[in-house]
């Protein structure tokens, strides 16, 4: 059976618009054979190439036409294939906790991988390599709180911002946050002022 047919058998039941990596077909043939087979499926309109090595089954909406997956969904697939940890940038985390209204002009995400830029359609996303401390509990509310605190820094972390972050976490999440590896100033800020 030609590689293109084998690939199609594997992807035809995937949800339309969900990104996947070409690496999932690594056992079907050489890299170039898999690449040619995917290109053939793209030409036939069966698949759509989102960015290098990432494809999806086309999803068409009667209202907006072609529907693309979110940039974050695509980045997650790339991160998974590269065994990378991806975390929201501190500026975005601060915004998520309503501590700032500033929007990033160019989306930036933290990564355990190398710093680089990824083009997804007209959007350029920057991946910035950071220390493992900033990647703890990536993709969770605890991880979001942690990078928000790192972003605010020792001078920017004031009791009101700490209270606002803590108020949006469950007791279990607060416990997880307190157990994270963090600088002394952050532990102190989270513990709050000594009772007096």
């Amino acid at each position: 059976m030609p590689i293109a047919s084998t690939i199609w058998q594997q992807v035809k039941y995937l949800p339309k618009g969900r990104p996947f990596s070409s690496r999932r077909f690594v056992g079907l043939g050489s890299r170039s054979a898999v690449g040619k087979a995917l290109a053939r499926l793209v030409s036939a309109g069966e698949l759509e190439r989102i960015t290098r090595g990432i494809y999806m089954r086309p999803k068409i909406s009667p209202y907006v036409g072609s529907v693309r997956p979110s940039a974050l969904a695509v980045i997650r697939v790339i991160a998974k294939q590269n065994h990378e940890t991806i975390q929201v940038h501190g500026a975005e985390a601060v915004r998520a906790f309503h501590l700032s209204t500033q929007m990033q002009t160019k989306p930036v995400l933290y990564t355990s991988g190398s710093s680089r830029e990824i083009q997804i359609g007209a959007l350029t996303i920057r991946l910035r390599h950071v220390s493992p401390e900033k990647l703890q509990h990536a993709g969770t509310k605890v991880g979001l709180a942690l990078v928000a605190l790192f972003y605010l820094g020792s001078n920017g972390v004031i009791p009101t911002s700490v209270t606002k972050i803590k108020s949006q976490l469950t007791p279990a999440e607060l416990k997880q946050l307190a157990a994270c590896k963090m600088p002394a100033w952050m532990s102190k800020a989270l513990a709050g002022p000594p009772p007096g």
Side-chain angles (χ1 to χ4, degrees):
M1 188 190 264
I3 293 178
S5 308
T6 312
I7 289 174
W8 180 240
Q9 289 306 315
Q10 287 188 26
V11 301
K12 68 179 178 183
Y13 299 115
L14 288 178
K16 290 182 176 183
R18 181 190 285 173
F20 61 84
S21 167
S22 59
R23 288 200 196 164
R24 69 187 294 159
F25 313 115
V26 83
L28 300 178
S30 70
R31 202 174 184 163
S32 83
V34 168
K36 281 178 186 150
L38 286 165
R40 211 166 296 136
L41 288 165
V42 169
S43 300
E46 303 286 7
L47 293 180
E48 206 175 303
R49 182 180 181 270
I50 302 169
T51 189
R52 200 172 71 136
I54 308 294
Y55 298 82
M56 68 175 203
R57 285 179 62 214
K59 184 176 184 178
I60 308 297
S61 153
Y63 309 106
V64 293
S66 181
V67 178
R68 309 289 292 197
S70 74
L72 196 58
V74 175
I75 293 293
R76 282 196 183 116
V77 172
I78 294 169
K80 194 176 174 186
Q81 77 173 12
N82 295 336
H83 307 291
E84 282 178 78
T85 303
I86 295 287
Q87 176 72 288
V88 169
H89 188 276
E92 206 47 48
V94 165
R95 213 167 69 81
F97 284 108
H98 309 292
L99 296 169
S100 164
T101 53
Q102 279 189 321
M103 296 261 313
Q104 289 179 303
T105 48
K106 191 189 252 187
V108 182
L109 293 163
Y110 294 148
T111 178
S112 59
S114 58
S115 294
R116 62 203 190 274
E117 290 193 345
I118 293 175
Q119 195 73 32
I120 300 169
L123 187 67
T124 304
I125 295 177
R126 275 188 62 212
L127 292 179
R128 207 174 106 208
H129 177 79
V130 292
S131 66
E133 281 76 24
K134 290 183 181 174
L135 298 169
Q136 296 172 91
H137 298 284
T140 68
K141 203 90 183 263
V142 174
L144 203 63
L146 192 68
V147 290
L149 292 165
F150 268 116
Y151 183 77
L152 290 168
S154 55
N155 297 327
V157 170
I158 51 173
T160 50
S161 56
V162 173
T163 304
K164 203 159 187 181
I165 289 172
K166 285 167 87 171
S167 71
Q168 293 174 62
L169 299 175
T170 65
E173 287 169 335
L174 283 168
K175 212 170 176 177
Q176 280 185 309
L177 180 60
C180 286
K181 195 174 175 197
M182 63 178 74
W185 63 262
M186 198 185 287
S187 310
K188 205 170 163 185
L190 281 170

